[in-house]
Amino acid sequence: MTTATATESALRWAVRDSLIRYVTVIAKGTHTVSGGAVEGDDGVFSFPLLRAVREGADWRMSFSGSVHFLAHNGLLDVLVTDPEIVIGPDGGVLATHIVGDPDELLAVVALEPAAHSETEAGLVWPEIGTQLAASAVDLFGTVYAAGTPMAPIGIRLTLDS
Ligand code: HEM
């Protein structure tokens, strides 16, 4: 089993550019990062790694931190918290935890099959294409259909073994 260190290992995801523009500019709402997630100058959210485990050709990873979009007096309430990822040659999924039910996960986006590159520092998935999962259509107010392209995901794992 190969594991990765938490140092500098992170998931980078902007969720969807047009959503951030809509929430902040059009709906005059807010987006807040917490729990270790940070927003870069480029608008991409970065979630630090908690744990990464290789299972055959797949990698299963947990990250910490949240990004929370609020607008329309709370009618729009989109929370991506402590994201979990499975990625491998057959694709994968990014899921978020459900508030109030720590055991349950909601699949938010399907990930296109993606290979990683290996450097001395570790493993990098520079850009994984994503599409909205059917289970997350309600999360975004049914505005985006299942399959709608969302922001690509980048992952960096700094290996310690
Ligand atoms: C008071 C109620 C609401 C009004 C007046 C409203 C109005 C609008 C308008 C005018 C747009 C088009 C913006 C544009 O592209 O120019 C839009 C887009 C959108 N709305 Fe709302 N909306 C409301 C409630 C909601 C709620 C409750 C949600 C979700 C949970 C939501 C999610 C969205 C999303 C995801 C988009 C698409 C943003 C994009 O990617 O371009 N809206 N809304």
Side-chain angles (χ1 to χ4, degrees), residues 16-23 26-27 71-78 137-144:
R16 186 176 153 92
D17 290 348
S18 68
L19 175 76
I20 294 171
R21 260 198 315 278
Y22 169 63
V23 170
I26 300 167
H72 303 307
N73 297 315
L75 282 178
L76 184 157
D77 184 341
V78 178
V137 168
D138 286 348
L139 180 66
F140 296 96
T142 69
V143 177
Y144 308 133

Side-chain angles (χ1 to χ4, degrees), residues 71-112:
H72 303 307
N73 297 315
L75 282 178
L76 184 157
D77 184 341
V78 178
L79 175 65
V80 176
T81 190
D82 299 337
E84 307 253 344
I85 283 191
V86 180
I87 182 70
D90 298 327
V93 68
L94 178 151
T96 181
H97 284 263
I98 308 283
V99 176
D101 190 348
D103 294 333
E104 210 182 317
L105 288 168
L106 176 79
V108 180
V109 287
L111 310 185
E112 288 169 5

Side-chain angles (χ1 to χ4, degrees), residues 12-17 19-20 42-45 47 69 151-153:
R12 285 168 47 78
W13 191 38
V15 185
R16 186 176 153 92
D17 290 348
L19 175 76
I20 294 171
D42 51 4
V44 180
F45 305 105
F47 302 82
F69 299 90
I153 281 172

Side-chain angles (χ1 to χ4, degrees), residues 121-132:
L123 305 185
V124 177
W125 288 257
E127 188 167 302
I128 307 171
T130 71
Q131 286 106 34
L132 188 67

